[in-house]
């Protein structure tokens, strides 16, 4: 049996830097990854970076225009470029750990025999590892809905779709969350006929109502069909196409597509770990229960990233690495409570980003709310920069002038929102942002105009 100071199950955004820190501190480390094609984690291979490369290529294609054969060639070239880039990043991630003499990469699927012993199924047979400390960083996987045909050959998830090199003419997207809307926007930019089916009666119900309305209007203006209150009954293969059968407005529709994308959320990838054998508690969704230091219910076992109850964002996973490293190698002072306001983004075209409270959230929490909305016609920088700008919204506590939330549906939103996060974390006021000196001409500078409009 192999003995190590630390075993890390999963090679992702948290596990990689943690392995390096532990090794540099003198630990012997085994990093166990069930697929060599997942070195670096989902962000590198099946999520953030590859999908954003296609989003960028789609926006360029929309600008260039052209007929379907031209757009199809661009799409295939974009997939090839994405594949080459992810291969380079995956190899870079592998070398970062493999070149460290205190780290061993183990290809195989791990499960717990008890709190200190792991069983790893490898291509060469079963391997047993005894670890003084174990860190669970197994990430998440797409959650398939209980719909007949959801596992059909023309039905894809956000991960498997990334490898499709043939541009479809028609796509049906089941689910209107962040992932579903991002892919809907991407394909629309490539000129694809897109239908989005959402079971709920509202689009983006957790987002600010003004921004959700702007997103819906923009999508529909681009020819994307958004069918809300749609209850999907089945997904059927019909020789050369897929048919999504759904009840919409009380009527059954059979919506054809070259393929369907099922984007109905993700679930923690914990079901094969045999966590009960180690005394590790999970919630009803399979997420590992942790405390503020990311310790599980079992001694000397931690869990990080999408495997836990935290928000499923790469930057949250990376912060989990900081928290765990602080707990194991430092003074344990960093906890989940130190994250501050966590921003989120939809990388559609244009992108949407938000941080903090919506107007309704703030009112529900008892704040005396003031708001400001800046529309495209009020943003003189937008046409000057040749960029699409639709809406900015601020939510402010009128009693203290403190910024409570910022919602951005415009170009550069994923960049500008980071400044807004700092404003919330530091308790800045609307007056601070109204009078701040920003570079010109930029969309960030529009924050001056936005906060100048704050009204109760």
């Amino acid at each position: 049996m192999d003995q190590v100071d630390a075993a890390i199950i999963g090679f992702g955004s948290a596990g990689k830097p943690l392995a390096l820190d532990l090794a540099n501190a003198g630990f012997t480390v085994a990093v166990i990854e069930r697929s060599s094609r997942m070195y670096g984690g989902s962000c590198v291979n099946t999520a953030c970076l590859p999908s954003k490369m296609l989003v960028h290529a789609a926006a360029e294609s929309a600008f260039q225009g052209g007929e379907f054969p031209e757009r199809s060639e661009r799409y295939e070239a974009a997939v090839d470029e994405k594949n080459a880039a992810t291969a380079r990043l995956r190899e870079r991630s592998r070398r970062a750990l493999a070149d460290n003499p205190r780290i061993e990469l183990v290809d195989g699927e791990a499960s717990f025999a008890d709190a200190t012993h792991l069983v790893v199924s490898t291509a060469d047979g079963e391997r047993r590892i005894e670890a003084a400390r174990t860190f669970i960083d197994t990430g998440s996987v797409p959650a398939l809905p209980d719909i007949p045909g959801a596992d059909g050959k023309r039905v894809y998830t956000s991960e498997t779709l990334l490898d499709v090199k043939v541009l479809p003419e028609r796509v049906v997207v089941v689910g209107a969350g962040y992932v579903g809307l991002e892919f809907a926007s991407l394909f629309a930019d490539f000129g694809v006929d897109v239908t989005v089916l959402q079971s709920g009666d509202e689009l983006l119900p957790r987002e600010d109502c003004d921004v959700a309305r702007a997103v819906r209007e923009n999508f529909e203006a681009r020819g994307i069909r958004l069918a809300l209150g749609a209850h999907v009954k089945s997904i059927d293969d019909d020789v050369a196409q897929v048919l999504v059968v759904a009840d919409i407005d009380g009527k059954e529709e059979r919506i054809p597509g070259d393929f369907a994308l099922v984007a109905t959320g993700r679930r923690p990838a914990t079901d094969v770990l045999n966590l009960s054998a180690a005394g590790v508690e999970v919630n009803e969704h399979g997420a590992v229960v942790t405390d503020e230091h990311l310790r599980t219910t079992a001694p000397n076992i931690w869990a990080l990233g999408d495997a836990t109850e935290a928000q499923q964002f790469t930057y949250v996973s990376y912060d989990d690495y900081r928290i765990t490293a602080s707990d194991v190698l430092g003074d344990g002072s960093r906890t989940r409570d130190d994250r501050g306001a966590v921003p989120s983004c939809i990388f559609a075209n244009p992108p949407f980003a938000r941080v903090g409270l919506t107007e309704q959230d703030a009112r529900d929490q008892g704040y005396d709310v003031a708001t400001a909305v800046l529309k495209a016609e009020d943003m003189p920088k937008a046409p000057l920069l040749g960029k699409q700008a639709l809406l900015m919204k601020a939510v402010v506590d009128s009693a203290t002038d403190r910024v409570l939330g910022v919602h951005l549906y415009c170009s550069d939103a994923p960049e500008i929102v980071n400044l807004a996060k700092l404003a919330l974390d530091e308790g800045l006021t609307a007056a601070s942002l109204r009078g701040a000196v920003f570079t010109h001409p930029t969309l960030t500078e529009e924050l001056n105009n936005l906060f100048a409009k704050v009204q109760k």
Side-chain angles (χ1 to χ4, degrees), residues 61-300:
S61 180
F63 179 77
Q64 293 170 330
E67 298 301 317
F68 186 82
E70 298 172 80
R71 292 184 274 110
S72 184
E73 288 180 7
R74 291 186 207 128
Y75 179 76
E76 183 175 355
V79 173
D80 286 338
E81 184 177 355
K82 179 268 299 181
N83 289 340
T86 55
R88 290 193 301 270
L89 292 169
R90 186 164 55 244
E91 174 61 13
R92 183 186 302 175
S93 295
R94 186 188 74 82
R95 295 302 324 173
L97 299 192
D99 288 348
N100 191 303
R102 290 187 172 274
I103 299 175
E104 181 186 5
L105 288 178
V106 181
D107 290 340
E109 190 157 72
S111 62
F112 284 93
D114 55 43
T116 56
H117 295 86
L118 296 169
V119 179
V120 184
S121 298
T122 74
D124 298 322
E126 189 176 281
R127 181 173 172 181
R128 300 180 70 85
I129 297 175
E130 180 179 354
R133 303 165 187 82
T134 301
F135 304 87
I136 302 167
D137 184 31
T138 49
S140 62
V141 293
L144 286 178
D146 187 19
I147 297 173
D151 57 350
K153 63 180 181 180
R154 292 189 181 89
V155 181
Y156 296 92
T157 68
S158 60
E159 294 184 352
T160 57
L161 181 56
L162 289 171
D163 291 327
V164 175
K165 295 182 67 173
V166 178
L167 182 68
E169 296 189 49
R170 301 165 301 172
V171 169
V172 183
V173 180
V174 180
Y178 280 24
V179 172
L181 292 181
E182 183 177 298
F183 274 96
S185 177
L186 182 164
F187 281 114
D189 276 350
F190 272 113
V192 176
D193 181 272
V194 180
T195 297
V196 179
L197 304 177
Q198 168 69 3
S199 59
D201 294 328
E202 295 180 63
L203 186 70
L204 299 172
R206 297 180 182 177
E207 306 305 330
D208 191 272
C209 58
D210 288 322
V211 176
R213 186 182 307 112
V215 172
R216 179 172 182 173
E217 290 173 353
N218 177 263
F219 271 54
E220 290 178 339
R222 294 164 59 196
I224 300 171
R225 181 190 179 193
L226 297 173
L228 305 182
H231 300 283
V232 178
K233 300 169 65 177
S234 65
I235 304 175
D236 304 327
D237 277 328
D238 182 22
V239 187
Q241 64 181 356
V242 67
L243 291 172
V244 180
V245 183
D247 284 333
I248 305 173
D249 294 330
K251 298 180 180 179
E252 182 178 287
E253 289 192 37
R254 299 172 65 82
I255 306 165
D258 295 310
F259 60 70
L261 166 64
V262 173
T264 51
R266 297 178 67 87
R267 61 178 179 82
T270 59
D271 49 352
V272 299
L273 293 175
N274 194 26
L275 293 173
S276 60
V280 175
E281 182 182 344
V282 298
N283 68 12
E284 65 274 20
H285 304 296
V288 180
V289 176
T290 63
D291 66 12
E292 68 273 19
H293 296 278
L294 303 179
R295 302 169 188 149
T296 72
T297 51
N300 296 318

